[in-house]
Amino acid sequence: MASVAALVFVLLSFAGGVVLANQTYIVYMDSALRPAVHPTHGAWYAAHLQSLDIDPDRHLLYAYSDVLHGFAASLLPHHLPLLVSSPAVLHFHPDPVLHLHTTRSPQFLGLASDTASVLPRPIDAVEAASRDVFIAVLDTGVWPEAPSFSVPAGFPEVPSRWRGVCEAGVDFSSSLCNRKLVGARSFARGFHAAAAAAGDGNVKGKPKEYQSPRDRDGHGTHTASTAAGSAVANASLLGYAAGTARGMAIAARVAAYKVCWASGCFGSDILAGIEAAIVDGADVLSLSLGGGSAPYFHDTIAIGAFAAADRGIFVACSAGNSGPGPATLANGAPWIATIGAGTLDRDFPAYARLGNGAEYTGVSLYSGKGTGKKLIPLVYGAGSTNASKLCLAGTLAPARVRGKLVLCDRGVSARVEKGAVVKAAGGAGMILANTAANGEELVADSHLLPAVAVGKKEGDLIRQYITTDSKPRGVLAFGGTVLGVRPSPVVAAFSSRGPNPVSPEILKPDFIGPGVNILAGWSGAVGPTGLLKDGRRTQFNIMSGTSMSCPHISGVAALLKGAHPDWSPAAIKSALMTTAYFLDNTKSPIRDAASGTFATPFAFGAGHVDPQKALSPGLIYDIATDDYVSSFLCSLNYTVPHIKAIAKRNVTCPRRLSNPGNLNYPSFSVVFERNSRVVKYRRQVTNVGPAPAVYQVKVTGPDDVAATVRPTQLVFKRVNQKLKYSVTFVSKERGKSAGEAFGRITWASKQHKVRSPVAYTWKL
């Protein structure tokens, strides 16, 4: 408990030792010390708190048994030393606050045809099998009346193994669930405890929460319908992206677990939601949320996901929207599918024409008319400070803005909020220009006034025009929806990047999926901008973020689970990784929107998912949860209590700890330390394709690394046969300066190519 004692000292010192308010903590218990007299974990936790003179009726929020052995409690500072003194307490930490990582994607992924086809596709049969698959979406809840959750004709009854419920609450009847939306719950004790400590449960600028599974925000409805929404014809956002909107797994069942509220997503509530989903019988968990990087024993999502994986549940998480900087991703545990975001082959062009005759193309989802054909004055920095260039609230002078077109720099405040600020000041329209942080990435928004978003290059030219022309003028026009955009996919600039900040020997993200300008279901409580002043209501909305790419993968994982019900979560992830593609629709390497240059595996992992090919990957890299303990957690120099807190089992680590990169992962991350130039990894593959089969290896990579694979040929005589191989990586330049390079290892047979990306990192 030395580490816990240090934590208590830091907390009390930081607070000056005089903190009187309650704070929520997540406490991990050693179940081996549970007395037999207590029939349940919950009874033991309550009795243990009583033995420490802590009233469980006042302080205990959640008692966990399936997701972890421990509890969440609202505690006072003088309670913490009592926990430290208890041998049954493994460790504890404050309840973290995490945040959300905020039509054509089925066609783009090959899950729906643009035109009718008489030829059956492998994916068609799989969709029917996914009727027995349950996807649990942990988010802001659900708007059950959304057409995406309607029951298709002939849809069968809910399989009897489902144990979920439809919880009644404020403006939410238990009858609102159906054979598609099979469950809805909400978890708010952590949120309420934090609100009580802060003295207010509401957040300025956001509507009051529904104390029920109902989705006030819209984010949860969007993600749930992306994963498994029913097909809805004639869907659009105010005419944009018109067509049939459908989820990735239209036959799968979906359940909503509301764990996110106006002030964020509290770890204690997330753990309670994961525990409920495990007990309810979920097959896939989808979490489009996260925080910063932390050791896995402090990472509530990693701990909850481990418990889910241990029960055979696939867990998909968004990588985060903190790109394009390096080592910015969240949710990097190897038992999680960590998902970045890419673009679709669809765009929403809009145009800014200037008084000098120049015309620049951007994007927009504004649904009204343009600003007309007559040029109007164009201003930039229309306020008393430089903050006016960002169009922050209160920075624009109405006298300088009224009736004019305003150029705003992207950043600091929300994109749609800038438009609202311009409109409130009397502006006639807005050009939203990227800065270096976003490069040429374009994200379309349904602004409240005519607005066009442009990239950095165009933005710089417009800024130069305004500052050099004596009477700058402009006009905006809108081009609707355009398909067949090239190149695509492109890695979104906002998509968080590797290397993995917690365990750099595990390459993350795992892959990318569609995450830019995604059309899906929406809440009836808010307009498409999410702003209080937006009075419009739509059944669908277009959003961007790794929040949107995550449920794409959750739905695809449900399809694979339906096709291969005996596959483990690791096997499903392996199939998605080794069949992912890394060339765009121009047959060129996938590019990075931030720089315009070729992207790397630190941006896209194994590549962009290909559901059709993932159905038949040939070989898989499988991992049992015990392997995550012995081959991975034991190699991280964690204490045994920390590992027990994650794994919920007695742990004995071998004396000789291996490299974390020796985990049987489908990708490779090779870290050359300052005084080491040789790294050796071992892998085992399982033949899930036809037999007999012969695979030959091919290695590509930088000239300054020699990668030797032994053996170079794998001969499989039967299905499900397992064979091992090793790879020795030798850096030819001892003492090479810090840097990175990339390569690939491919096992090829007559029918399959099983590809693994390799990332090389040199440390000073």
Side-chain angles (χ1 to χ4, degrees), residues 486-651:
R486 298 161 69 90
S488 62
V490 174
V491 178
F494 60 73
S495 188
S496 292
R497 314 301 169 93
N500 192 330
V502 180
S503 44
E505 297 84 0
I506 301 296
L507 178 57
K508 290 285 183 170
D510 291 310
F511 31 65
I512 61 172
V516 179
N517 298 332
I518 303 302
L519 178 76
W522 192 241
S523 168
V526 291
T529 63
L531 299 174
L532 283 176
K533 60 195 75 175
D534 188 352
R536 299 171 296 176
R537 294 295 181 266
T538 62
Q539 293 183 326
F540 296 89
N541 198 8
I542 292 173
M543 298 181 70
S544 297
T546 55
S547 276
M548 283 62 254
S549 53
C550 174
H552 278 84
I553 304 307
S554 305
V556 172
L559 293 175
L560 293 187
K561 184 69 175 178
H564 304 285
D566 57 332
W567 278 10
S568 69
I572 292 174
K573 181 165 68 172
S574 173
L576 290 168
M577 291 176 67
T578 61
T579 59
Y581 61 89
F582 45 90
L583 299 179
D584 61 29
N585 57 2
T586 70
K587 304 302 180 184
S588 176
I590 291 175
R591 293 185 175 271
D592 191 325
S595 62
T597 58
F598 295 145
T600 74
F602 283 153
F604 58 63
H608 193 287
V609 291
D610 187 332
Q612 300 254 20
K613 288 187 177 179
L615 287 171
S616 178
L619 306 176
I620 57 171
Y621 294 80
D622 209 355
I623 308 173
T625 45
D626 284 341
D627 296 330
Y628 289 123
V629 177
S630 60
S631 298
F632 180 71
L633 291 174
C634 282
S635 70
L636 297 181
N637 294 320
Y638 288 174
T639 66
V640 169
H642 286 155
I643 298 176
K644 290 175 71 175
I646 300 169
K648 306 199 316 298
R649 65 194 76 187
N650 290 324
V651 174

Side-chain angles (χ1 to χ4, degrees), residues 71-84:
F71 57 88
S74 180
L75 303 173
L76 290 165
H78 72 270
H79 293 147
L80 305 187
L82 301 176
L83 294 177
V84 172

Side-chain angles (χ1 to χ4, degrees), residues 95-477:
D95 191 9
V97 184
L98 309 182
H99 298 281
L100 299 168
H101 291 151
T102 176
T103 184
R104 188 165 170 79
S105 46
Q107 286 92 342
F108 190 71
L109 289 172
L111 299 179
S113 301
D114 290 315
T115 57
S117 174
V118 296
L119 297 176
R121 301 167 304 140
I123 207 75
D124 295 332
V126 171
E127 287 185 338
S130 68
R131 290 175 175 176
D132 294 333
V133 179
F134 298 91
I135 303 175
V137 179
L138 284 80
D139 213 293
T140 62
V142 66
W143 193 264
E145 297 87 356
S148 296
F149 305 116
S150 60
V151 179
F155 205 52
E157 293 296 326
V158 179
S160 59
R161 70 178 181 86
W162 177 248
R163 297 178 294 275
V165 299
C166 199
E167 290 182 355
V170 176
D171 201 20
F172 199 99
S173 167
S174 60
S175 64
L176 288 171
C177 294
N178 54 37
R179 283 171 284 163
K180 163 57 72 173
L181 179 64
V182 297
R185 296 175 180 262
S186 66
F187 302 87
R189 295 176 190 173
F191 163 66
H192 287 312
D200 185 12
N202 296 315
V203 174
K204 185 178 180 181
K206 292 194 175 184
K208 189 176 181 180
E209 292 282 0
Y210 287 111
Q211 299 303 312
S212 73
R214 184 167 290 280
D215 180 15
R216 170 79 74 175
D217 182 272
H219 190 278
T221 301
H222 198 281
T223 55
S225 59
T226 298
S230 299
V232 181
N234 302 315
S236 73
L237 169 62
L238 305 173
Y240 284 100
T244 297
R246 49 155 287 170
M248 299 301 100
I250 57 173
R253 322 290 178 142
V254 64
Y257 297 76
K258 186 175 180 178
V259 299
C260 295
W261 306 83
S263 54
C265 317
F266 290 83
S268 56
D269 296 331
I270 294 169
L271 287 169
I274 294 176
E275 172 140 315
I278 291 173
V279 174
D280 288 347
D283 300 295
V284 176
L285 298 188
S286 186
L287 295 92
S288 291
L289 52 96
S293 59
Y296 299 126
F297 54 83
H298 276 172
D299 186 335
T300 51
I301 292 181
I303 291 169
F306 186 96
D310 200 23
R311 298 291 190 92
I313 301 170
F314 182 91
V315 182
C317 293
S318 48
N321 300 338
S322 299
T328 50
L329 63 80
N331 301 321
W335 48 87
I336 292 173
T338 311
I339 301 145
T343 63
L344 293 170
D345 61 345
R346 178 181 65 195
D347 211 350
F348 310 104
Y351 311 96
R353 182 165 59 88
L354 307 183
N356 61 0
E359 182 175 275
Y360 301 105
T361 301
V363 296
S364 181
L365 294 171
Y366 177 67
S367 59
K369 297 179 180 180
T371 56
K373 296 183 179 180
K374 183 180 179 181
L375 294 168
I376 58 176
L378 173 60
V379 297
Y380 178 51
S384 58
T385 68
N386 277 334
S388 63
K389 294 181 178 179
L390 288 160
C391 299
L392 304 181
T395 63
L396 297 181
R400 298 174 59 184
V401 169
R402 191 171 294 111
K404 298 176 182 177
L405 197 57
V406 182
L407 176 68
C408 301
D409 290 341
R410 183 174 169 183
V412 181
S413 63
R415 300 182 301 272
V416 291
E417 180 63 31
K418 294 176 187 293
V421 169
V422 173
K423 183 177 181 180
M430 176 181 70
I431 300 175
L432 181 61
N434 283 1
T435 60
N438 304 104
E440 301 311 308
E441 172 190 70
L442 297 178
V443 179
D445 295 294
S446 182
H447 290 281
L448 293 172
L449 82 170
V452 175
V454 298
K456 180 183 181 299
K457 294 178 181 177
E458 292 81 359
D460 287 344
L461 292 171
I462 297 172
R463 294 181 188 98
Q464 182 181 25
Y465 165 69
I466 295 175
T467 56
T468 57
D469 193 286
S470 59
K471 292 184 178 181
R473 294 176 179 273
V475 66
L476 305 182

